[in-house]
Amino acid sequence: MTEPFAERVSKAEANPIFEVIKKARDLKAQGKPVLRFDVGETDFPTPENVKAAAKKALDENFTYYTPAEGIKELRQAIAEKLGKANDIPASWEEVMATVGGKQALFNATQALLQEGDECVLGLPYWVSHLEQIKLASATPVLVQTDERFKLRAEDMEEALTPRTKMVILSSPSNPTGAVMDEKDLKRVAALAVERNFWLVSDEVYEPFVFDGKKHFSPASFGAEVRAHTITVNAFSKTYAMTGWRLGYAHAPKEVIKRMAYVQGHSTSHPDSLAQKAGLEALRGPQDSVKEMVRVFEERRNALVARLKKLPGFKVVNPEGAFYAFPDVRGCFGGKVRSGLELANYLVDQALVTVVPGEACGSKNHVRLCYATPVSVIHEAMDRVEKALKEL
Ligand SMILES: Cc1ncc(COP(=O)(O)O)c(C=O)c1O
């Protein structure tokens, strides 16, 4: 056997984040007080009413296969939510429930991309956006974001070619927290119509927008744009449900049909209990979401204030999501020369984990997820400050 692996996976690259996480786990297992700023999930619990809905569904034996697109009630609730919260007039048949936001993206890339196609992605990127383009045998075309990490429509336009089949937007962004400006979103959406490509709008951090900024969904910009747009969202971040694996997509009916084909023949459908929980999350009270976002804005403020004072760090105030993405080139020299080396240094010397920017396409940055109480943020920054002085 000379070629044991399929070409699509033989190109798979080890995610640099795992090295740091493994080190953190080992140190934690040795009883060391490691403070984690790497994983991208909130520390809030899933709301009680959502958990109760899943328990009830379990007691009622709602434990069997569901349609590939999810149960009709949930699809209807998602369609209603899109109408009310995102100004997207949606019918339940244009919506499907998915196994996390990630599978909504996977369904879309598998259904719409193939060899020879190009897919435009902002740099820095979320690693799964990049890898899913490659898994679909298409070619990623990276477009550098501006100094505030905003993807500018004119830069994206320059990257378009006759082969461009898709553009993936992440706003609010993982890893940078940048929120795209309405005018850029509108121009990108207009280009999707003019140049006939699919626009995938990843909105999983939708509620996490700060400083009174507003989130916009491109699919709300009219029927023509909607005919080219796949809107992706999830319960994971908004309702603190990362482990439940529930997300959703909105797209033209014909696209949903093809995406359901991919899902139906891979994971079948999202977990039946999670679907009932998701229904309650959408239909029940939304106070927990508002409270979580308020707390995250406080945390953002606390972390950014500290990062600004760190020697060698340059930070852009992130307007959304729950990440900061400082430029750490000022720390490079003797002991560290890259984000990865700095991340390793901080685990070793400060017992603080951050994601090396290499995982997002930049060796000059690190990513910090601030899903942790303000007191922990201060303790971690005290340790990082001390470690940096010894660099
Ligand atoms: C930008 C972005 N999109 C999608 C996802 C996937 O979310 P889920 O856990 O619902 O699959 C993530 C998770 O980190 C993300 O950061």
Side-chain angles (χ1 to χ4, degrees):
M1 207 161 46
T2 49
E3 282 281 312
F5 302 119
E7 199 183 329
R8 78 178 80 83
V9 296
S10 61
K11 285 186 233 148
E13 275 153 40
N15 190 337
I17 188 175
F18 292 136
E19 196 183 323
V20 181
I21 292 175
K22 187 181 172 306
K23 204 179 254 184
R25 282 214 184 101
D26 292 348
L27 287 165
K28 226 172 179 161
Q30 293 164 26
K32 300 268 168 64
V34 177
L35 299 178
R36 294 190 62 173
F37 285 72
D38 54 306
V39 265
E41 62 186 348
T42 109
D43 56 333
F44 278 64
T46 303
E48 288 305 321
N49 60 314
V50 175
K51 291 196 272 193
K55 286 179 196 163
K56 182 163 177 284
L58 181 60
D59 287 340
E60 290 172 354
N61 295 314
F62 193 73
T63 53
Y64 299 100
Y65 289 133
T66 77
E69 301 88 342
I71 54 174
K72 186 173 173 186
E73 283 169 288
L74 177 60
R75 295 172 75 192
Q76 282 169 330
I78 294 167
E80 273 167 34
K81 179 266 171 187
L82 289 167
K84 278 195 206 132
N86 305 100
D87 214 9
I88 303 174
S91 81
W92 68 275
E93 290 148 304
E94 294 164 338
V95 158
M96 71 182 291
T98 58
V99 185
K102 196 177 264 182
Q103 186 157 28
L105 294 161
F106 186 74
N107 293 341
T109 47
Q110 289 294 315
L112 302 171
L113 293 176
Q114 61 192 2
E115 191 156 356
D117 292 339
E118 290 176 358
C119 179
V120 175
L121 186 62
L123 177 71
Y125 49 73
W126 177 52
V127 68
S128 292
H129 284 148
L130 181 80
E131 296 303 329
Q132 289 195 359
I133 297 168
K134 293 198 234 160
L135 274 171
S137 305
T139 306
V141 176
L142 300 177
V143 175
Q144 184 63 53
T145 53
D146 72 6
E147 65 292 343
R148 306 200 61 223
F149 300 119
K150 295 196 186 240
L151 184 62
R152 293 282 165 215
E154 62 261 31
D155 297 330
M156 201 223 66
E157 190 169 357
E158 267 181 38
L160 299 178
T161 77
R163 285 175 180 265
T164 307
K165 184 79 170 290
M166 183 183 281
V167 170
I168 300 179
L169 302 180
S170 175
S171 177
S173 154
N174 177 6
T176 65
V179 177
M180 271 184 81
D181 290 341
E182 185 186 4
K183 76 168 180 23
D184 286 300
L185 271 177
K186 286 211 157 128
R187 179 67 191 136
V188 172
L191 282 166
V193 177
E194 276 168 39
R195 308 281 283 267
N196 194 25
F197 57 78
W198 295 111
L199 187 59
V200 171
S201 177
D202 183 340
E203 304 181 10
V204 304
Y205 296 97
E206 170 195 359
F208 298 90
V209 280
F210 312 130
D211 310 321
K213 265 205 85 96
K214 196 170 155 10
H215 165 81
F216 293 95
S217 296
S220 68
F221 298 156
E224 274 192 311
V225 176
R226 217 153 30 248
H228 287 81
T229 303
I230 297 92
T231 304
V232 169
N233 211 323
F235 294 78
S236 307
K237 320 283 175 177
T238 306
Y239 298 103
M241 290 176 71
T242 42
W244 297 70
R245 308 313 301 136
L246 188 65
Y248 57 92
H250 170 267
K253 241 192 277 182
E254 284 302 308
V255 177
I256 290 294
K257 189 167 133 191
R258 269 90 186 164
M259 288 172 59
Y261 174 82
V262 176
Q263 179 158 286
H265 292 290
S266 50
T267 54
S268 293
H269 58 76
D271 174 86
S272 57
L273 304 177
Q275 291 189 50
K276 287 286 191 178
L279 186 60
E280 173 60 25
L282 291 177
R283 294 243 159 104
Q286 303 297 307
D287 326 5
S288 60
V289 182
K290 284 196 197 112
E291 174 57 11
M292 186 165 66
V293 174
R294 186 190 66 74
V295 170
F296 270 86
E297 185 158 356
E298 278 177 13
R299 292 170 170 182
R300 191 269 322 247
N301 294 344
L303 178 68
V304 169
R306 292 296 304 261
L307 290 174
K308 278 189 175 154
K309 291 189 190 141
L310 289 180
F313 276 52
K314 247 172 80 182
V315 64
V316 174
N317 197 27
E319 294 171 327
F322 34 69
Y323 307 106
F325 200 66
D327 182 330
V328 293
R329 271 176 293 183
C331 302
F332 295 176
K335 287 186 194 153
V336 306
R337 285 150 315 201
S338 69
L340 182 59
E341 287 181 11
L342 181 65
N344 273 303
Y345 177 79
L346 292 179
V347 184
D348 293 337
Q349 301 300 316
L351 296 175
V352 171
T353 55
V354 301
V355 170
E358 280 86 341
C360 320
S362 168
K363 73 184 239 321
N364 297 330
H365 297 82
V366 294
R367 189 196 77 177
L368 293 95
C369 171
Y370 49 87
T372 187
V374 168
S375 59
V376 178
I377 291 174
H378 284 303
E379 186 184 341
M381 290 305 110
D382 289 346
R383 291 193 204 167
V384 170
E385 206 168 67
K386 189 163 169 279
L388 291 178
K389 280 185 188 143
E390 287 157 18
L391 251 185

